[in-house]
Protein backbone atom coordinates (compact mmCIF):
# COMPACT_ATOMS: atom_id res chain seq x y z
CA UNK A 1 0.00 0.00 0.00
CA UNK A 2 1.22 3.51 -0.81
CA UNK A 3 2.42 5.54 2.18
CA UNK A 4 0.44 8.66 1.21
CA UNK A 5 -2.79 6.68 1.01
CA UNK A 6 -2.12 4.94 4.32
CA UNK A 7 -1.34 8.21 6.15
CA UNK A 8 -4.61 9.66 4.85
CA UNK A 9 -6.65 6.50 5.50
CA UNK A 10 -5.65 6.31 9.18
CA UNK A 11 -6.43 10.02 9.64
CA UNK A 12 -2.90 11.25 10.32
CA UNK A 13 -3.40 13.84 7.54
CA UNK A 14 -6.60 15.65 6.58
CA UNK A 15 -6.12 14.99 2.88
CA UNK A 16 -4.08 12.71 0.70
CA UNK A 17 -2.65 15.71 -1.13
CA UNK A 18 -1.31 17.22 2.10
CA UNK A 19 0.43 13.91 2.89
CA UNK A 20 1.81 13.78 -0.66
CA UNK A 21 3.08 17.37 -0.39
CA UNK A 22 5.10 16.54 2.72
CA UNK A 23 6.40 13.37 1.06
CA UNK A 24 7.37 15.27 -2.09
CA UNK A 25 9.34 17.71 0.07
CA UNK A 26 11.36 14.79 1.47
CA UNK A 27 10.20 15.30 5.06
CA UNK A 28 8.71 11.83 5.62
CA UNK A 29 10.87 8.78 6.28
CA UNK A 30 9.92 5.12 6.16
CA UNK A 31 12.24 2.92 8.22
CA UNK A 32 14.77 5.75 8.34
CA UNK A 33 14.93 6.34 4.57
CA UNK A 34 13.37 9.32 2.74
CA UNK A 35 10.11 8.25 1.13
CA UNK A 36 8.16 9.25 -1.96
CA UNK A 37 4.36 9.18 -2.10
CA UNK A 38 4.47 5.87 -3.95
CA UNK A 39 6.68 4.14 -1.36
CA UNK A 40 5.06 0.90 -0.23
CA UNK A 41 4.43 0.31 3.47
CA UNK A 42 3.69 -2.94 5.23
CA UNK A 43 2.93 -4.00 8.77
CA UNK A 44 5.90 -3.34 11.05
CA UNK A 45 7.26 -0.32 9.12
CA UNK A 46 8.07 2.91 11.01
CA UNK A 47 6.94 6.20 9.45
CA UNK A 48 8.41 9.45 10.83
CA UNK A 49 7.93 13.15 10.03
CA UNK A 50 8.20 16.52 11.74
CA UNK A 51 5.08 18.47 12.70
CA UNK A 52 4.96 22.01 14.01
CA UNK A 53 5.24 21.09 17.68
CA UNK A 54 6.89 17.66 17.66
CA UNK A 55 8.42 14.77 15.79
CA UNK A 56 5.83 12.13 14.82
CA UNK A 57 6.82 8.45 14.82
CA UNK A 58 4.20 5.80 14.04
CA UNK A 59 4.47 2.07 13.48
CA UNK A 60 2.21 0.46 10.88
CA UNK A 61 0.11 -2.30 12.47
CA UNK A 62 -2.61 -2.75 9.86
CA UNK A 63 -3.11 -1.72 6.25
CA UNK A 64 -6.53 -0.21 5.63
CA UNK A 65 -7.76 -0.04 2.01
CA UNK A 66 -9.82 3.15 2.43
CA UNK A 67 -10.35 5.98 4.93
CA UNK A 68 -11.90 4.67 8.11
CA UNK A 69 -13.48 6.18 11.21
CA UNK A 70 -11.34 7.40 14.09
CA UNK A 71 -11.88 4.35 16.38
CA UNK A 72 -10.69 1.99 13.62
CA UNK A 73 -7.90 4.31 12.49
CA UNK A 74 -6.28 4.33 15.95
CA UNK A 75 -6.03 0.53 15.83
CA UNK A 76 -4.10 0.63 12.53
CA UNK A 77 -0.94 2.14 14.04
CA UNK A 78 1.09 2.47 17.23
CA UNK A 79 2.14 6.02 18.03
CA UNK A 80 5.71 6.20 19.40
CA UNK A 81 5.79 10.02 19.24
CA UNK A 82 6.95 12.03 22.26
CA UNK A 83 4.27 14.05 24.03
CA UNK A 84 3.57 17.62 22.98
CA UNK A 85 5.55 20.00 25.25
CA UNK A 86 3.46 22.02 27.72
CA UNK A 87 2.23 25.41 26.54
CA UNK A 88 4.44 27.32 28.99
CA UNK A 89 7.55 25.58 27.67
CA UNK A 90 6.64 26.26 24.04
CA UNK A 91 6.01 29.97 24.65
CA UNK A 92 9.25 30.54 26.60
CA UNK A 93 11.53 29.48 23.76
CA UNK A 94 12.91 32.17 21.48
CA UNK A 95 11.38 35.23 23.18
CA UNK A 96 13.35 38.39 22.37
CA UNK A 97 13.23 41.81 23.95
CA UNK A 98 11.15 44.33 22.09
CA UNK A 99 13.31 46.61 19.99
CA UNK A 100 16.27 44.22 19.95
CA UNK A 101 16.22 44.10 16.15
CA UNK A 102 16.69 41.10 13.93
CA UNK A 103 18.62 38.17 15.40
CA UNK A 104 22.14 37.62 14.15
CA UNK A 105 22.95 34.41 12.32
CA UNK A 106 24.38 32.90 15.52
CA UNK A 107 21.31 33.95 17.56
CA UNK A 108 18.96 32.52 14.91
CA UNK A 109 20.78 29.19 14.99
CA UNK A 110 20.56 29.11 18.80
CA UNK A 111 16.83 29.85 18.63
CA UNK A 112 16.35 27.08 16.05
CA UNK A 113 18.34 24.67 18.23
CA UNK A 114 16.18 25.49 21.27
CA UNK A 115 13.01 24.97 19.27
CA UNK A 116 14.29 21.60 18.08
CA UNK A 117 14.44 22.70 14.47
CA UNK A 118 16.91 20.50 12.57
CA UNK A 119 17.84 23.10 9.98
CA UNK A 120 19.78 25.21 12.48
Amino acid sequence: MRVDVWLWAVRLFKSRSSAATLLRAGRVRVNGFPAKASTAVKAGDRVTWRETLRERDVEVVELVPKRVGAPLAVKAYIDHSPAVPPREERLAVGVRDRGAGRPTKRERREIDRLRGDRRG
Side-chain angles (χ1 to χ4, degrees), residues 6-8 10-14 49 51 56 58 77:
W6 184 82
L7 288 168
W8 167 75
V10 296
R11 298 180 171 267
L12 292 170
F13 285 88
K14 285 188 177 185
W49 70 96
E51 285 186 349
R56 292 297 305 264
V58 295
Y77 64 90

Side-chain angles (χ1 to χ4, degrees), residues 11-62:
R11 298 180 171 267
L12 292 170
F13 285 88
K14 285 188 177 185
S15 67
R16 182 177 168 190
S17 64
S18 64
T21 301
L22 208 62
L23 283 152
R24 211 174 305 114
R27 300 219 176 138
V28 179
R29 294 178 168 269
V30 175
N31 296 327
F33 296 102
K36 296 194 294 186
S38 61
T39 301
V41 291
K42 59 188 182 305
D45 285 349
R46 296 286 285 259
V47 182
T48 58
W49 70 96
R50 176 106 181 124
E51 285 186 349
T52 308
L53 299 176
R54 66 180 173 158
E55 184 83 21
R56 292 297 305 264
D57 181 11
V58 295
E59 180 180 346
V60 179
V61 173
E62 180 183 345

Side-chain angles (χ1 to χ4, degrees), residues 50-98:
R50 176 106 181 124
E51 285 186 349
T52 308
L53 299 176
R54 66 180 173 158
E55 184 83 21
R56 292 297 305 264
D57 181 11
V58 295
E59 180 180 346
V60 179
V61 173
E62 180 183 345
L63 300 176
V64 290
K66 59 182 182 177
R67 192 165 173 97
V68 294
L72 294 175
V74 172
K75 295 177 183 176
Y77 64 90
I78 299 171
D79 195 353
H80 298 285
S81 306
V84 178
R87 183 177 171 90
E88 300 80 30
E89 189 176 315
R90 285 182 282 158
L91 293 177
V93 176
V95 176
R96 292 179 53 84
D97 294 330
R98 187 167 177 85

